[in-house]
C-alpha cells in the first residue's frame, strides 16, 4: 500500500493580513477607534509568514482586493478622496484603506478578499466610531457694561476641543426666550489658546437691566452644536449646557420718604433692585449717593424687604449725618461696587453700575392746627360758624385734598367742594374753608359756637392714607334770647329786676358790669343796663339746653341818660363788644360790634293798685270828686307803662259816664292818676242823688285788671 499525496501547484500561498496600528506584530486586541467622520488607516499586506508582521510583506504581489464591512462603514483609497470605494489595488504586497463612518460604530468589522488569496484574519473586528464628547464644564453670562445687559459668555469645556463648535445657541433670560445663534465662523466666537474655553461677545446683546435668569433652576440656556471634523456629511451633535448668571444687580428705583422738616439723623428710602439680592448684604456702606455730580458712599443702618416673596425691594434706613448728605429728589443712587451688596449668587454690582434718579415718596401733609370762626365777610358775628382755618405742616394742593369735617356724631360735612376752600394769603399750607350751610343736621342759620371738630384729609395723590386733626373753637358766644322780669310786689325798694340771657354756649368771663347793649325800638336809641353780678362765679346758670346756657343777671339800673326809662317788649339785646364777654370752652371774647341781636322779652311788672275816692258822697260843686288810681307794691312804678279807663254805672246798670281808653296814661313820675268826676253824665247834666258804681280798668301793656267802687251823689 502506498499512501498517496497530492500537491496542487497553483495559487501562491500568500495570506492577506489586515493591520490596524499593530503593524509590527498582529495583535487581535488592538482596536481601530476614531470619531464619527474620522478616516482611519487600515493597512493590508500580503505575506507568507506564519506569524505575519509588516516586515514579512511579500513585495511581489500586485492584485486587486475588495474591502467590505459592517453596515455604516465606508472606505476610501486616500485620506482626501471624496468618493468611497470597495475595490483597492495592492501594490508590491501592500494596500492602504481609509475607513470612516458617518455614525457611531460599535465593534465593526472589515472584510478583505482577493480571488487568489485567503485572508489571514478576515473579517477583523474591533472597529469603533464614536461621537466626540462635547462636555461643558461651566459657562457664565456677563454684562461688560454697567447697564445690566448680557453681552458675553464664557464657556469652559471639560475636554479640549478639537475645533470650534459649529454654532452655539444662547437664551436669556428664559430657557426659550431671547434666542441668539452664534456661528462658529463668526467673529463673535473665540477659542482660547488652551482649546478648552470659548468666549462669545455678542454683536447683538440681550436687553438691558436684566441681571437674573427667569428660567427654571435646572434649565440649560446654552446649546453647543458640534459636527465632528466639520464633516458636512456628519450629523451635528447638540449638547445643552447650563449658564450661570455672573451679572451683578442694579438699582432700579429709589425713593426717599419725605421728611418734615428735613434734617439730620436718618432718612427712609425705598429701593428696588433688578433681581433678588442677599438681604443681609444691604446693611453697611452699600450704596453710592450722587449729589450734584459728587459721589458719596452712604451707610445703610437697616434694611427690611417690602415683600415676603422676594428680596428685590427694601425699605432702608439711611444715615444722614448732615442735611448736606441726605438723599433728596433729583439725587442719584447706585450700588457701591466694592460694598457688600451681591445678588443671590454672590455677584457684586458692575464697577460702573448705572445710577437711578431718586424721587420723593411724599407723606401726607399733617394738620398742625385748626380752628373755626364766626366771622361773616362783613364782620358780623351771628353765632353761625362761617369758616374753618387749617394750618398744615407743609404746602398742600387744594385740588388734591379731600376734606371732611365732623362736628359731633351727626353733624358732618363730607368731601367739601374745592370751591369752598381757599388759601389764606400766599401761604399754601394755610387754608380757609367756608362751612356755613355745609354741615348735615346744622342749618345754614343755626347758632352753634362750641364743640371741637375733627378734620379728616385724604390726598388723591397718596391713596389709602389720611390725616386727622382737631379743629378748635374760636367762635365767641352770642346771645340767642333774652327776657327781663321785674321783682314782683316788693316793698321798701329792696327787690330788683332780673335779666335772663341765653347764650349759644357757656360763658367763661365777663369784663364789665354793662355787658349788653340794647336798642329801644320806640326811641331808636341804644341803651345799657348796669348789672350787679357779672362776676362769673356769681352768675347763676338757670338753664342748659344742649350747648346753650341761660344766665340770670341782676339789674341795678337802666342807663336813663338816653331817655329810655325801662326796657320794652320789642327792644333788642346783644353783647357789648367792649365788655370782654368770653366763652368758657375757648376763652374767645365776643369782639364783633355787629354780633347777634335777639329780641328782649319784657315780662309784666306785677303791682297792686287801689281806687281812692275823696268827697264821697259827692255834692256837686266846682271841685271834682277825686277818683284816684294809686299804684302800690312795686319799685318799678316809674318803669311801668300804664293806661287807665273806666265807666260809671247807675243802679240799673246804665253807663252814665266814661273815661275813654287811650286818654289816661300814668305820669311816669307819679304813682297816682286822678281821673276826677264832676257828677255829670256824658251829656254834661248833673246826675241825680243815688248810688253809683265806678268801674276802672288798668292796662300794663300785657294784661288788664279791673276794680270797682261805689260812690254816692247827694244833691
Ligand atoms: Ca445676577
Ligand atoms: Ca357767622
Ligand atoms: Ca365758642
Amino acid at each position: 500500500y502506498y499512501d498517496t499525496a497530492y500537491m496542487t501547484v497553483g495559487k501562491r500561498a500568500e495570506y492577506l493580513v489586515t493591520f490596524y496600528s499593530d503593524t509590527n506584530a498582529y495583535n487581535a486586541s488592538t482596536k481601530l477607534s476614531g470619531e464619527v467622520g474620522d478616516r482611519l488607516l487600515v493597512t493590508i499586506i500580503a505575506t507568507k509568514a506564519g506569524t505575519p508582521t509588516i516586515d514579512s510583506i511579500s513585495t511581489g504581489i500586485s492584485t486587486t482586493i475588495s474591502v467590505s464591512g459592517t453596515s455604516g462603514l465606508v472606505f476610501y483609497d486616500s485620506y482626501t478622496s471624496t468618493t468611497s470605494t470597495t475595490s483597492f489595488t495592492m501594490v508590491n504586497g501592500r494596500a492602504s484603506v481609509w475607513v470612516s463612518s458617518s455614525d457611531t460604530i460599535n465593534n465593526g468589522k472589515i472584510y478583505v478578499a482577493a480571488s487568489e488569496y485567503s485572508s489571514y484574519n478576515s473579517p477583523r473586528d474591533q472597529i469603533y466610531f464614536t461621537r466626540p464628547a462635547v462636555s461643558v464644564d461651566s459657562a457664565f453670562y456677563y454684562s461688560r457694561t454697567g447697564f445690566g445687559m448680557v453681552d458675553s459668555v464664557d464657556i469652559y469645556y471639560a475636554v479640549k476641543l478639537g475645533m470650534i463648535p459649529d454654532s452655539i445657541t444662547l437664551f436669556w433670560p428664559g430657557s426659550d426666550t431671547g434666542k441668539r445663534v452664534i456661528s462658529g465662523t463668526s467673529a463673535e466666537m473665540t477659542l482660547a489658546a488652551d482649546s478648552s474655553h470659548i468666549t462669545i461677545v455678542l454683536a447683538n446683546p440681550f436687553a438691558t437691566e436684566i441681571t437674573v435668569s427667569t428660567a427654571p433652576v435646572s434649565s440649560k440656556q446654552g446649546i453647543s452644536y458640534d459636527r465632528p471634523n466639520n464633516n458636512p456629511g456628519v450629523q451635528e451633535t447638540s449638547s445643552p449646557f447650563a449658564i450661570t448668571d455672573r451679572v451683578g444687580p442694579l438699582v432700579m428705583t429709589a425713593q426717599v420718604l419725605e421728611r418734615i422738616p428735613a434734617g439730620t439723623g436718618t432718612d427712609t428710602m425705598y429701593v428696588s433692585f433688578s433681581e433678588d439680592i442677599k438681604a443681609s448684604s444691604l446693611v453697611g456702606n452699600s450704596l453710592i449717593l450722587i449729589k450734584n455730580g459728587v459721589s458719596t458712599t452712604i451707610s445703610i443702618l437697616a434694611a427690611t424687604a417690602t415683600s415676603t416673596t422676594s428680596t428685590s425691594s427694601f425699605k432702608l434706613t439711611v444715615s444722614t449725618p448732615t442735611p448736606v448728605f441726605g438723599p433728596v429728589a433729583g439725587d442719584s443712587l447706585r450700588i457701591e461696587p466694592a460694598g457688600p451688596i451681591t445678588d443671590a449668587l454672590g455677584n457684586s454690582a458692575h464697577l460702573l453700575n448705572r445710577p437711578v434718579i431718586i424721587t420723593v415718596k411724599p407723606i401726607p401733609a399733617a394738620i398742625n392746627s385748626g380752628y373755626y370762626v364766626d366771622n361773616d365777610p362783613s364782620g358780623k358775628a351771628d353765632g353761625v360758624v362761617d369758616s374753618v382755618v387749617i394750618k398744615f405742616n407743609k404746602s398742600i394742593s387744594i385740588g388734591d385734598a379731600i376734606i371732611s369735617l365732623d362736628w359731633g356724631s351727626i353733624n358732618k360735612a363730607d368731601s367739601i367742594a374745592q370751591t369752598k376752600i381757599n388759601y389764606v394769603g400766599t401761604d399754601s399750607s394755610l387754608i380757609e374753608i367756608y362751612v356755613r350751610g355745609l354741615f348735615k343736621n346744622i342749618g345754614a342759620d343755626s347758632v352753634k359756637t362750641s364743640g371741637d371738630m375733627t378734620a379728616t384729609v385724604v390726598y388723591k395723590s397718596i391713596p389709602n392714607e389720611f390725616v386727622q386733626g382737631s379743629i378748635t373753637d374760636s367762635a365767641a358766644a352770642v346771645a340767642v334770647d333774652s327776657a327781663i322780669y321785674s321783682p314782683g310786689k316788693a316793698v321798701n325798694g329792696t327787690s330788683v329786676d332780673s335779666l335772663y340771657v341765653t347764650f349759644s354756649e357757656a360763658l367763661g368771663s365777663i369784663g364789665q358790669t354793662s355787658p349788653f347793649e340794647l336798642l329801644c325800638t320806640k326811641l331808636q336809641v341804644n341803651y345799657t343796663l348796669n348789672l350787679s353780678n357779672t362776676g362769673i362765679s356769681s352768675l347763676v346758670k338757670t338753664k342748659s339746653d344742649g350747648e346753650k346756657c341761660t344766665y340770670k343777671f341782676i339789674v341795678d339800673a337802666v342807663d336813663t341818660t338816653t331817655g329810655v326809662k325801662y326796657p320794652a317788649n320789642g327792644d333788642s339785646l346783644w353783647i357789648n363788644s367792649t365788655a370782654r364777654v368770653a366763652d368758657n370752652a375757648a376763652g374767645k371774647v365776643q369782639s364783633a360790634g355787629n354780633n347777634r341781636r335777639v329780641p328782649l322779652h319784657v315780662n309784666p311788672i306785677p303791682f297792686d293798685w287801689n281806687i281812692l275816692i275823696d268827697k264821697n258822697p259827692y255834692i256837686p260843686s266846682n271841685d271834682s270828686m277825686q277818683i284816684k288810681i294809686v299804684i302800690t307794691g312795686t319799685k318799678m312804678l316809674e318803669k311801668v307803662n300804664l293806661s287807665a279807663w273806666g265807666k260809671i254805672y247807675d243802679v240799673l246798670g246804665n253807663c252814665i259816664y266814661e273815661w275813654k281808653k287811650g286818654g289816661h296814661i300814668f305820669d311816669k313820675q307819679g304813682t297816682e292818676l286822678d281821673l276826677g268826676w264832676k257828677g255829670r253824665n256824658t251829656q254834661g247834666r248833673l246826675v241825680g242823688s243815688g248810688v253809683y258804681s265806678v268801674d276802672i280798668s288798668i292796662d300794663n301793656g300785657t294784661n288788664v285788671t279791673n276794680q270797682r267802687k261805689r260812690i254816692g251823689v247827694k244833691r
Side-chain angles (χ1 to χ4, degrees):
Y1 298 97
Y2 298 92
D3 289 337
T4 303
Y6 299 91
M7 185 179 73
T8 300
V9 177
K11 295 187 177 151
R12 297 164 66 175
E14 265 89 7
Y15 300 101
L16 298 182
V17 182
T18 303
F19 287 98
Y20 294 162
S21 59
D22 50 347
T23 49
N24 279 323
Y26 178 82
N27 178 353
S29 67
T30 299
K31 294 179 179 178
L32 185 65
S33 299
E35 291 181 356
V36 170
D38 280 351
R39 290 188 185 184
L40 307 177
L41 178 61
V42 173
T43 304
I44 316 293
I45 63 165
T47 182
K48 292 179 189 174
T51 53
T53 71
I54 202 158
D55 295 328
S56 59
I57 189 166
S58 302
T59 55
I61 305 297
S62 292
T63 185
T64 297
I65 63 172
S66 67
V67 176
S68 61
T70 303
S71 174
L73 291 179
V74 290
F75 308 97
Y76 298 91
D77 60 7
S78 75
Y79 188 81
T80 56
S81 171
T82 56
T83 53
S84 61
T85 182
T86 59
S87 177
F88 291 82
T89 302
M90 177 173 279
V91 178
N92 297 330
R94 180 186 196 102
S96 290
V97 175
W98 299 87
V99 183
S100 186
S101 173
S102 62
D103 208 341
T104 53
I105 298 290
N106 184 29
N107 197 17
K109 296 174 182 173
I110 183 170
Y111 301 84
V112 178
S115 54
E116 64 271 46
Y117 304 108
S118 59
S119 178
Y120 177 78
N121 60 348
S122 181
R124 183 168 185 179
D125 58 8
Q126 301 266 47
I127 299 176
Y128 298 86
F129 280 95
T130 56
R131 290 194 174 275
V134 178
S135 176
V136 173
D137 178 69
S138 55
F140 303 96
Y141 272 134
Y142 296 96
S143 172
R144 297 185 166 201
T145 71
F147 295 95
M149 175 179 69
V150 166
D151 54 10
S152 60
V153 190
D154 275 343
I155 306 167
Y156 296 90
Y157 291 86
V159 293
K160 290 186 178 184
L161 292 177
M163 57 189 308
I164 205 155
D166 293 286
S167 70
I168 289 178
T169 298
L170 302 171
F171 295 98
W172 181 258
S175 54
D176 58 358
T177 56
K179 184 177 182 181
R180 299 283 190 278
V181 178
I182 296 91
S183 164
T185 60
S186 159
E188 294 168 272
M189 195 185 299
T190 309
L191 180 63
D194 67 1
S195 296
S196 64
H197 168 206
I198 280 177
T199 298
I200 296 171
V201 177
L202 294 169
N204 177 22
F206 292 106
T208 58
E209 298 179 347
I210 298 176
T211 66
V212 67
S213 169
T214 60
V217 172
S218 59
S219 293
K220 310 245 170 133
Q221 290 174 294
I223 306 170
S224 181
Y225 289 96
D226 296 85
R227 194 192 312 266
N229 301 303
N230 207 19
N231 186 333
V234 177
Q235 185 66 38
E236 286 179 323
T237 302
S238 65
S239 305
F241 59 95
I243 307 178
T244 303
D245 158 19
R246 279 279 171 86
V247 187
L250 288 174
V251 175
M252 296 301 286
T253 62
Q255 280 190 307
V256 60
L257 186 67
E258 184 181 10
R259 189 147 67 102
I260 302 171
T264 60
T266 59
D267 274 294
T268 299
M269 293 189 75
Y270 293 87
V271 176
S272 69
F273 297 91
S274 58
E275 59 181 308
D276 280 0
I277 64 165
K278 283 183 181 167
S280 60
S281 71
L282 261 170
V283 173
N285 296 326
S286 57
L287 294 168
I288 293 175
L289 181 67
I290 305 163
K291 191 185 277 290
N292 300 322
V294 178
S295 293
T296 309
T297 300
I298 58 174
S299 176
I300 307 306
L301 303 177
T304 312
T306 55
S307 160
T308 56
T309 56
S310 74
T311 55
S312 62
S313 294
F314 292 86
K315 177 184 179 181
L316 305 179
T317 304
V318 180
S319 173
T320 298
T322 75
V324 176
F325 294 129
V328 298
D331 293 350
S332 298
L333 191 76
R334 68 186 190 97
I335 298 171
E336 165 60 84
I341 290 178
T342 69
D343 68 10
L345 300 175
N347 296 314
S348 294
H350 193 277
L351 193 64
L352 300 175
N353 71 91
R354 61 97 188 90
V356 296
I357 293 174
I358 297 171
T359 59
V360 165
K361 182 180 172 68
I363 58 171
I367 294 173
N368 273 358
S369 61
Y371 59 91
Y372 59 80
V373 292
D374 167 23
N375 188 7
D376 301 50
S378 60
K380 186 177 168 188
D382 60 356
V384 180
V385 163
D386 300 288
S387 60
V388 166
V389 175
I390 302 178
K391 174 67 177 171
F392 293 91
N393 66 345
K394 62 169 181 169
S395 295
I396 68 156
S397 162
I398 289 173
D400 188 40
I402 301 170
I403 303 176
S404 299
L405 296 169
D406 183 342
W407 200 4
S409 58
I410 60 169
N411 306 320
K412 288 179 177 166
D414 289 329
S415 301
I416 295 168
Q418 287 175 32
T419 54
K420 297 285 186 182
I421 308 172
N422 283 311
Y423 294 116
V424 177
T426 57
D427 183 354
S428 55
S429 68
L430 187 62
I431 61 164
E432 182 169 21
I433 310 169
Y434 299 100
V435 297
R436 187 170 187 137
L438 293 188
F439 284 94
K440 277 178 213 155
N441 302 306
I442 299 180
D445 297 316
S446 295
V447 170
K448 178 172 165 63
T449 61
S450 60
D452 281 356
M453 298 179 190
T454 299
T456 302
V457 185
V458 175
Y459 300 95
K460 295 173 193 168
S461 60
I462 310 174
N464 307 319
E465 292 188 53
F466 64 89
V467 298
Q468 283 192 320
S470 184
I471 306 301
T472 57
D473 173 4
S474 192
V478 294
V480 295
D481 203 1
S482 65
I484 195 162
Y485 290 83
S486 74
K489 299 166 186 175
V491 291
N492 301 327
T494 54
S495 274
V496 290
D497 288 356
S498 300
L499 173 68
Y500 294 83
V501 179
T502 303
F503 296 90
S504 55
E505 59 180 308
L507 296 186
S509 62
I510 298 174
Q512 279 186 8
T513 57
S514 297
F516 304 110
E517 287 193 88
L518 298 96
L519 170 69
C520 173
T521 305
K522 187 174 177 185
L523 300 179
Q524 285 298 303
V525 293
N526 289 357
Y527 63 99
T528 60
L529 300 173
N530 281 325
L531 307 177
S532 62
N533 65 330
T534 53
I536 203 72
S537 59
S538 63
L539 270 185
V540 176
K541 191 194 287 182
T542 61
K543 194 178 166 193
S544 292
D545 174 15
E547 292 154 356
K548 294 184 177 69
C549 290
T550 302
Y551 295 92
K552 178 182 179 182
F553 297 92
I554 297 161
V555 180
D556 256 0
V558 177
D559 170 20
T560 54
T561 60
T562 56
V564 176
K565 299 290 195 235
Y566 192 72
N569 251 328
D571 288 356
S572 56
L573 174 147
W574 64 96
I575 295 170
N576 181 346
S577 62
T578 64
R580 301 189 302 283
V581 175
D583 69 13
N584 186 47
K588 176 71 177 176
V589 170
Q590 181 53 270
S591 58
N594 196 6
N595 65 77
R596 187 180 190 87
R597 297 185 176 203
V598 294
L600 180 69
H601 306 282
V602 177
N603 287 277
I605 299 171
F607 57 92
D608 292 332
W609 62 284
N610 289 311
I611 303 171
L612 291 183
I613 312 287
D614 195 15
K615 301 173 185 169
N616 191 16
Y618 178 59
I619 299 165
S621 68
N622 284 334
D623 294 330
S624 296
M625 184 183 193
Q626 285 187 342
I627 300 175
K628 281 191 198 169
I629 301 166
V630 180
I631 306 295
T632 61
T634 180
K635 178 193 173 194
M636 291 293 178
L637 181 64
E638 76 282 8
K639 301 167 186 171
V640 180
N641 290 304
L642 295 177
S643 62
W645 65 93
K647 289 177 178 176
I648 299 174
Y649 299 91
D650 64 16
V651 291
L652 298 174
N654 299 308
C655 174
I656 58 150
Y657 188 80
E658 183 176 8
W659 297 280
K660 286 207 184 320
K661 237 181 184 174
H664 307 275
I665 307 297
F666 276 76
D667 174 356
K668 291 189 177 176
Q669 304 302 323
T671 60
E672 296 179 355
L673 178 66
D674 184 2
L675 294 173
W677 187 47
K678 289 193 170 174
R680 293 175 186 272
N681 67 12
T682 47
Q683 280 76 43
R685 288 198 292 270
L686 284 172
V687 301
S689 297
V691 176
Y692 298 83
S693 61
V694 178
D695 223 356
I696 303 292
S697 298
I698 289 180
D699 183 358
N700 67 356
T702 303
N703 51 25
V704 176
T705 52
N706 298 290
Q707 289 192 38
R708 175 173 290 205
K709 289 281 185 183
R710 268 170 203 276
I711 56 171
V713 174
K714 198 178 277 185
R715 301 278 299 267

